[in-house]
Amino acid sequence: AQKVTQAQTEISVVEKEDVTLDCVYETRDTTYYLFWYKQPPSGELVFLIRRNSFDEQNEISGRYSWNFQKSTSSFNFTITASQVVDSAVYFCALQGAQKLVFGQGTRLTINP
Amino acid sequence: KAGVTQTPRYLIKTRGQQVTLSCSPISGHRSVSWYQQTPGQGLQFLFEYFSETQRNKGNFPGRFSGRQFSNSRSEMNVSTLELGDSALYLCASSPLAGVRGNEQFFGPGTRLTVL
């Protein structure tokens, strides 16, 4: 069975602080993909990143960075110098052999 | 390119009624997946359609059904509505189906309220 755990239900920080969203996954598949999606108040899920199980290279995109560690089954997401526009619910997701499985999401609030 | 569109955006129904939700994928995308999002259960996969065939199905009762048309547009139907069916229903499209790691593009969702 596949499972994604986002232990942080809600995080609230002040603008310009760095914040890390945790994601831990479980799967028996040797080939799988990990994703992060952002869901702003409008409801639409916005794709942020995809990483396959054979690529443990960390990635940086502007203020966003992702740390994939297979040894701890984690795929954490860090926002540097957070901004109010980063406020949203963030979902980590896992796709093994079949369907996409989402974590419960982390509601991130950036206060001015 | 236009994104995924879903209609209607909001819907209010009463218990026992049935409802049909519609999803138009991005032009050229042939795979459509449906998800249910609730505060308690989070985001759960309902089913996936590709070339008018259901390829994959989540753990939902038979009251939940769907179909896909030759133009890739998809509809999902929920019969005999229950209060617990109140949710945001999200549709996602992708160019192919059954391809691991395939990026899915989501629509804005239909918020269904069952009274």
Side-chain angles (χ1 to χ4, degrees):
Chain A
Q2 297 181 150
K3 186 179 178 182
V4 176
T5 302
Q6 294 179 254
Q8 305 147 309
T9 307
E10 292 190 37
I11 299 176
S12 180
V13 300
V14 176
E15 200 172 20
K16 295 184 185 176
E17 285 186 22
D18 298 347
V19 58
T20 295
L21 310 181
D22 298 333
C23 172
V24 174
Y25 62 92
E26 296 175 29
T27 180
R28 292 181 181 173
D29 293 323
T30 53
T31 302
Y32 53 88
Y33 286 80
L34 295 163
F35 301 79
W36 275 96
Y37 282 89
K38 174 182 180 180
Q39 187 177 40
S42 60
E44 188 171 336
L45 282 167
V46 177
F47 168 83
L48 295 177
I49 190 172
R50 169 186 50 218
R51 176 65 72 225
N52 75 54
S53 52
F54 298 107
D55 182 4
E56 288 192 68
Q57 206 168 20
N58 292 332
E59 182 157 336
I60 298 175
S61 176
R63 297 183 297 104
Y64 295 172
S65 63
W66 291 269
N67 180 256
F68 176 29
Q69 292 202 340
K70 234 171 151 176
S71 60
T72 56
S73 297
S74 65
F75 187 42
N76 297 337
F77 172 31
T78 298
I79 301 175
T80 303
S82 60
Q83 300 177 2
V84 173
V85 293
D86 295 327
S87 296
V89 180
Y90 290 85
F91 290 94
C92 179
L94 165 70
Q95 184 182 39
Q98 295 185 347
K99 62 184 179 182
L100 192 60
V101 174
F102 287 87
Q104 287 291 91
T106 297
R107 181 176 298 279
L108 177 63
T109 303
I110 310 296
N111 300 297
Chain B
K1 229 180 203 182
V4 177
T5 57
Q6 292 186 246
T7 56
R9 292 293 311 279
Y10 302 92
L11 206 49
I12 300 176
K13 292 285 188 178
T14 55
R15 277 181 299 176
Q17 288 187 309
Q18 76 165 20
V19 66
T20 299
L21 311 182
S22 180
C23 171
S24 293
I26 291 172
S27 177
H29 285 193
R30 296 170 62 192
S31 171
V32 173
S33 298
W34 288 89
Y35 296 85
Q36 181 197 63
Q37 185 177 17
T38 59
Q41 300 299 317
L43 271 159
Q44 295 187 90
F45 171 77
L46 278 158
F47 25 65
E48 178 190 16
Y49 286 88
F50 180 78
S51 292
E52 303 177 66
T53 301
Q54 188 180 88
R55 289 185 55 92
N56 212 347
K57 191 176 191 302
N59 296 325
F60 279 82
R63 300 185 297 106
F64 291 82
S65 62
R67 59 178 177 169
Q68 186 180 34
F69 301 96
S70 57
N71 62 357
S72 295
R73 190 177 70 85
S74 177
E75 288 181 348
M76 69 161 281
N77 184 77
V78 187
S79 62
T80 319
L81 284 166
E82 300 177 359
L83 294 178
D85 297 332
S86 294
L88 179 67
Y89 290 88
L90 291 163
C91 167
S93 78
S94 58
L96 300 171
V99 177
R100 289 189 194 184
N102 211 12
E103 179 185 340
Q104 294 189 32
F105 297 82
F106 284 81
T110 294
R111 185 163 295 282
L112 171 65
T113 302
V114 182
L115 302 177

